Amino acid sequence: MMKTRISTEWLSGCSGCHVAVVDLHEKLLNLLDDVEFVRIPVLMDEKGYPEAEVGIVEGAIRSEHDRKALLKMRETCKTLIAFGTCAAYGGPSGIGWLYDKDSILNKIYKETVTAADDGKLPEGAPELEQSVTPLNEVVDIDFFIPGCPPHPYYIALAIKTLLGASVPAISMKTVCSVCNRQMEKREGVKFQRGMSTAPEEDICLLSQGVICLGSVTLDRCQAQCPNKGITCAGCAGPSMDIITEPHLDIRTMIARRMSLLTGIDQKEIQEYIEKEAKTFYSYAISSPIIYKKPMVEIREWAGN
Ligand code: SF4
Ligand code: SF4
Ligand code: SF4
């Protein structure tokens, strides 16, 4: 049987998504019976773009190199996957969307104490674009696998699906749907700006006065943070209702839900989320899904 050829590329991100592929461990070895990696920068030195059935792209577009590489991937791969939250929504590097190119270059290469340069990119580095762009703003994308990085379970599931195997239906629900904690209505809860003590077991973190983004985040991780007592930071990107409904937004949905559960003033929560917009919107800030929402004023909230 002909093996399915897979080609991968990394653009502006942190390489963590590629490391997540290697994290498949023995599952990766099993897959190698059916697939052949013709290009995978984390494991092999292939500078060209060989033809492939499946293309997997990590990272967002930030430079001329990123854009050209993405176009090459689209040209050479039958099916193209936006792999990870940077590829799907701009991800953490999307914070750069808040600033123009020159102010970023000046900050790094001129104003930083250790910089002894003139605010220009080092020689030979690819030209930066004005902003950060998720992949589907430039080419057609066939599948999205969000996550920062994607969870090995979903990577294996996606590859098996592409190989034609029968796999369980993939959840379109939120992180809350797989969280072991229960929402409980309480009174007199104090608003906590971040978790200061160990949380009570089994009780939703919102009910305890701490902002958790599980209810506005797509489940692509089996709730690994809240199930271990850590708030969900939204790294798998927005939930389906936020993606599909222009009038729904992270700030208002979280503030309303938390206020109903705790009695804390909804306005106080909303104002805190606005003040910390760089944190609470950090994974999808450069995606039009978020910044084009009529009630979202990210640039204003972030003070730019
Ligand atoms: S999605 Fe996360 S892990 Fe993947 S490249 Fe972006 S920052 Fe790194
Ligand atoms: S908001 Fe967070 S803690 Fe509460 S149920 Fe959802 S994921 Fe769990
Ligand atoms: S719980 Fe939230 S922050 Fe943690 S891995 Fe899942 S989506 Fe990411």
Side-chain angles (χ1 to χ4, degrees):
M1 192 181 82
M2 276 260 295
K3 289 188 177 186
T4 302
R5 287 166 299 174
I6 298 184
S7 172
T8 80
E9 174 62 303
W10 49 21
L11 309 180
S12 290
C14 77
S15 322
C17 288
H18 266 74
V19 174
V21 174
V22 183
D23 272 351
L24 286 171
H25 300 296
E26 69 280 3
K27 282 202 193 82
L28 183 61
L29 294 178
N30 295 340
L31 282 170
L32 291 179
D33 290 340
D34 300 313
V35 306
E36 176 194 359
F37 284 93
V38 293
R39 183 184 207 284
I40 177 165
V42 74
L43 294 175
M44 63 197 271
D45 185 19
E46 168 58 68
K47 301 277 193 296
Y49 292 89
E51 301 274 326
E53 279 74 44
V54 179
I56 296 177
V57 183
E58 165 199 317
I61 297 168
R62 173 80 253 191
S63 69
E64 277 180 358
H65 162 269
D66 293 339
R67 190 171 290 263
K68 282 183 191 153
L70 177 63
L71 292 172
K72 276 278 175 204
M73 287 295 285
R74 182 65 280 183
E75 208 177 290
T76 50
C77 302
K78 283 195 188 122
T79 300
L80 199 61
I81 301 174
F83 188 59
T85 302
C86 286
Y89 304 111
S93 44
I95 290 285
W97 174 86
L98 289 168
Y99 308 92
D100 65 50
K101 181 177 87 168
D102 290 338
S103 60
I104 291 174
L105 289 176
N106 282 338
K107 189 80 187 168
I108 296 169
Y109 293 106
K110 201 170 179 182
E111 293 160 15
T112 309
V113 188
T114 49
D117 222 326
D118 54 1
K120 292 201 168 63
L121 273 170
E123 213 173 305
E127 186 68 20
L128 283 196
E129 295 203 346
Q130 272 307 331
S131 193
V132 182
T133 315
L135 305 191
N136 67 329
E137 295 291 298
V138 176
V139 298
D140 288 336
I141 295 293
D142 301 297
F143 294 100
F144 295 83
I145 308 181
C148 182
H151 191 288
Y153 172 80
Y154 290 98
I155 301 173
L157 211 61
I159 295 179
K160 282 188 205 154
T161 307
L162 289 167
L163 294 177
S166 139
V167 295
I170 297 178
S171 164
M172 289 297 163
K173 295 182 180 168
T174 65
V175 172
C176 291
S177 71
V178 277
C179 177
N180 296 333
R181 296 174 177 274
Q182 297 301 313
M183 291 189 183
E184 189 178 275
K185 197 162 165 31
R186 294 173 156 190
E187 279 173 17
V189 178
K190 211 163 159 272
F191 184 49
Q192 298 186 55
R193 288 168 165 75
M195 190 108 66
S196 50
T197 54
E200 290 170 59
E201 277 185 26
D202 306 331
I203 303 294
C204 171
L205 298 166
L206 291 177
S207 301
Q208 298 183 52
V210 187
I211 292 179
C212 173
L213 298 185
S215 60
V216 290
T217 303
L218 188 67
D219 163 38
R220 284 294 174 269
C221 65
Q222 298 163 344
Q224 54 188 344
C225 299
N227 282 342
K228 292 187 177 65
I230 302 164
T231 53
C232 170
C235 84
S239 52
M240 289 313 292
D241 47 4
I242 291 203
I243 293 171
T244 53
E245 302 281 348
H247 67 288
L248 294 180
D249 167 48
I250 291 172
R251 174 195 61 149
T252 32
M253 286 177 80
I254 288 289
R256 190 178 304 133
R257 185 169 287 119
M258 191 169 174
S259 179
L260 284 170
L261 290 169
T262 59
I264 299 167
D265 182 18
Q266 183 174 331
K267 199 156 166 275
E268 183 187 353
I269 306 167
Q270 283 192 192
E271 283 174 359
Y272 179 67
I273 294 176
E274 286 173 21
K275 192 166 155 284
E276 302 297 330
K278 284 182 195 163
T279 299
F280 292 114
Y281 287 86
S282 58
Y283 289 96
I285 207 164
S286 65
S287 167
I289 289 171
I290 292 299
Y291 69 73
K292 280 199 174 158
K293 282 185 184 289
M295 74 297 280
V296 171
E297 300 291 349
I298 293 275
R299 282 207 163 94
E300 195 182 299
W301 296 343
N304 293 287

